[in-house]
Amino acid sequence: MIAFKFLAAGALAPFTRFQWPASGEWVSAAAHRPELWIHACRAGDLPYWLADELWRIELDGPLREARYQVAAPRARLVARVAAWDRALAGDYARACALRARDLALPHVPTAARDALARATELDAIADVARGAGPASRAAELVADAAQNALHVGPATTSYIAATLASALGGGLAAFEAERAWQARWLAERLRVGEVDSGP
């Protein structure tokens, strides 16, 4: 199976710090220990695993599918997805922050709603959202998303947007629907495969 794997710069596993051979050699885990198998993601799982580099990875052997990832006892890197770079990561973070603003609009105080709807720059979105006052949790999350898009990066920004969707009343289903929107955004721009359509 061809799947995807996010790695730190230099093909380094972000959690285990394992140095992946970029030349495509097979890497094996203990087949009798599924909890130690090599993890990867499908196109729909991309927003959950963001890091510096995105690679196509080939998984071999029995496949174990989980809610947000897949795993197998053997894998090898096939090719880096060059489209995932700093510029696209920034565009994605901005898209998630704007999406958070749009989701929150019906839930922010009326006095701030028009100004927030007109704000298109991340600094302005953060300022207007902060000005809505501490009583508005939705506005706080919008400000956090905008600030994270500017200063932290796409992983936290997209997580905040999904958390906002959940906090607005939809719970886990709304969280996952927002992640699905994010996955479609990524798949379209990265041209990495189909993701189920949805909200």
Side-chain angles (χ1 to χ4, degrees):
M1 173 188 185
I2 299 296
F4 304 97
K5 190 165 186 68
F6 275 107
L7 296 172
L12 194 66
F15 299 112
T16 64
R17 310 309 289 170
F18 175 74
Q19 177 68 61
W20 275 85
S23 52
E25 292 102 6
W26 287 95
V27 172
S28 297
H32 66 285
R33 299 278 309 275
E35 71 277 10
L36 300 178
W37 285 5
I38 297 159
H39 295 91
C41 59
R42 299 152 294 211
D45 304 322
L46 290 171
Y48 294 93
W49 301 106
L50 302 175
D52 301 321
E53 299 175 356
L54 177 61
W55 290 79
R56 290 185 193 277
I57 186 170
E58 183 177 0
L59 301 174
D60 184 48
L63 190 68
R64 191 172 71 168
E65 297 199 47
R67 191 167 193 151
Y68 307 126
Q69 64 186 357
V70 292
R74 269 180 21 113
R76 67 185 183 97
L77 297 182
V78 176
R80 186 165 172 197
V81 180
W84 180 250
D85 58 13
R86 281 189 182 205
L88 187 63
D91 290 346
Y92 172 65
R94 185 174 192 282
C96 290
L98 290 171
R99 173 91 169 166
R101 178 204 62 188
D102 294 345
L103 288 171
L105 282 175
H107 306 275
V108 299
T110 307
R113 194 172 300 151
D114 289 343
L116 189 57
R118 287 192 305 270
T120 57
E121 296 304 316
L122 295 173
D123 278 331
I125 291 169
D127 289 345
V128 172
R130 274 203 265 350
S136 176
R137 179 69 176 137
E140 286 180 1
L141 288 170
V142 169
D144 287 348
Q147 285 298 301
N148 273 270
L150 281 169
H151 304 296
V152 180
T156 53
T157 306
S158 62
Y159 178 78
I160 291 166
T163 299
L164 171 63
S166 175
L168 293 177
L172 180 59
F175 182 92
E176 291 184 337
E178 190 60 21
R179 286 302 207 182
W181 179 89
Q182 295 168 2
R184 290 190 301 276
W185 192 100
L186 288 168
E188 179 181 315
R189 282 146 186 91
L190 294 169
R191 299 181 180 163
V192 295
E194 295 300 318
V195 178
D196 291 339
S197 60

